[in-house]
Amino acid sequence: MINLQPYTNPRYFIILFIALLPLIIGLYNGKRYKNYEAFISFLFLFLMFSGSEWIQGVQIIGYVIFQFLITFLYQKYLKKGKNSTKVFVCAVIASILPLALVKIAPLVPTDVSSLIGFVGISYLTFKTVQVIMELRDKTIKSVDPVTYARFLLFFPTISSGPIDRYRRFQKDYDTAPTRDQYLDYLEKGTFYIFQGFLYKFIIGYVFGTLWLPQLAKTALFIGKANGGLRLSWALVGYMYCYSMYLFFDFAGYSLFAVGTSYFMGINTPVNFNKPFISKNIKDFWNRWHMTLSFWFRDFIFMRFTFFAMKKRLIRNRIRLSQIAYLLNFLIMGFWHGITWYYIVYGIFHAVAIIINDIWLRFKKKHSDHIPHNKFTEAFAIFLTINIVCFGFLIFSGFLDTLWFK
């Protein structure tokens, strides 16, 4: 049995294009073959979780059934005219529970992740939590079971995003684009896929396969020879090289997912927007892994802020935003994994954004005395790049290997 992991080799793209061809012809003629779309999604998910990965296929089926029960029981509860905060919190906790168990699995003797730790559990959980929260807010009036299943199991994005929103996805799924719109989708989709090849298989290969191991080996040799604490050119090189590899590999993967979505007539949002021209750390998070950062902004940062304001927990708005940033990035750090470097990475970015906000307020207050020109902008970009890359060095876990192993 073939095990077909997404976007890993040319064979995948050949099979993908052949499978999508009837759908492309239909969309070109203004018809969306929903049954064929469902078949293709099932086929690619089946091939993704076949062979030695079959247990993950069973896990994802059980997971989707579990989330369906939570979502539609909560929707039924809301349709009775009830809206208890306790019930809402219980629904959110229940939806998050499988992901939480996977994240804490390394800390317990039993390997929980072997029971429910399938590829893509994080992104599916983000989608289900979003739907539950928006049902409560009434921004989603009702969830259709078939559309919800397609939304959760949309195969181009299931393993690593981007994280779409139910209402946006439903709008695309319920209609077929006009011919002119679809031709634009095909043009963009083709561009994104070829750009993804350049990013992931060429530039990402150079940074991640050719250069990164050599820099890591050299940095480890120098570090071990000097007690692990010496800053070396190899460690600095590793920091920059890892940052570039992380971007080009992940951005390339995301471009494949977005490009494939466009071929299927679904306008999946892009994930990256030139993050290394950011002028400050907040600007960076508006450009880097955007669907994730916007999800955290909308469903953690803003929710906590509104809750704290409503309950008058923190009266000072500046202190409130600072605490919200700390909570937001701490949760993001824990989501990546319960290890010191992920948690420190989250705290690092929270502190960076808090300092940035302090600076922006100071700059606004003293705008007449602080120069603003192309040189200061260039310096801001340079400073932001280095702050971001140092954060990625922490995130990489390489310092853990250098200092503690």
Side-chain angles (χ1 to χ4, degrees), residues 218-234:
T218 304
L220 282 171
F221 176 78
I222 295 173
K224 295 299 183 182
N226 294 277
L229 298 175
R230 183 176 176 181
L231 178 66
S232 67
W233 65 266

Side-chain angles (χ1 to χ4, degrees), residues 228-401:
L229 298 175
R230 183 176 176 181
L231 178 66
S232 67
W233 65 266
L235 181 59
V236 174
Y238 179 92
M239 178 183 77
Y240 290 124
C241 189
Y242 176 80
S243 299
M244 294 302 104
Y245 163 70
L246 188 65
F247 168 69
F248 285 108
D249 184 76
F250 193 18
Y253 192 101
S254 295
L255 287 166
F256 290 145
V258 172
T260 303
S261 300
Y262 271 70
F263 274 83
M264 298 178 70
I266 302 294
N267 187 12
T268 296
V270 296
N271 235 0
F272 295 89
N273 179 23
K274 302 176 182 177
F276 291 109
I277 65 167
S278 303
K279 296 176 182 177
N280 56 59
I281 196 68
K282 187 179 290 186
D283 185 29
F284 171 79
W285 280 107
N286 286 329
R287 295 171 177 272
W288 175 273
H289 203 346
M290 295 185 293
T291 59
L292 176 69
S293 62
F294 294 163
W295 190 96
F296 271 84
R297 177 198 66 191
D298 294 344
F299 299 108
I300 295 178
F301 179 87
M302 296 304 298
R303 297 275 169 168
F304 172 78
T305 301
F306 289 147
F307 173 79
M309 288 174 62
K310 183 179 179 181
K311 299 295 183 180
R312 298 175 182 261
L313 299 178
I314 305 165
R315 296 182 183 276
N316 186 302
R317 289 178 177 266
I318 294 175
R319 296 291 175 268
L320 174 59
S321 67
Q322 292 172 347
I323 292 172
Y325 281 131
L326 186 60
L327 176 66
N328 187 76
F329 281 97
L330 262 178
I331 292 175
M332 185 181 287
F334 276 106
W335 166 66
H336 280 104
I338 305 180
T339 57
W340 74 264
Y341 44 88
Y342 289 141
I343 297 167
V344 170
Y345 172 77
I347 295 171
F348 174 79
H349 273 279
V351 171
I353 286 188
I354 290 169
I355 293 173
N356 179 70
D357 275 1
I358 294 171
W359 162 248
L360 290 178
R361 285 194 298 273
F362 177 85
K363 184 180 176 181
K364 184 177 180 180
K365 186 176 180 181
H366 300 86
S367 58
D368 294 339
H369 307 288
I370 298 176
H372 180 82
N373 51 52
K374 61 182 181 180
F375 298 107
T376 59
E377 287 193 0
F379 176 75
I381 293 171
F382 173 79
L383 181 62
T384 302
I385 288 173
N386 281 276
I387 290 170
V388 166
C389 289
F390 182 71
F392 286 148
L393 176 63
I394 297 170
F395 177 85
S396 71
F398 185 69
L399 296 178
D400 185 62
T401 303

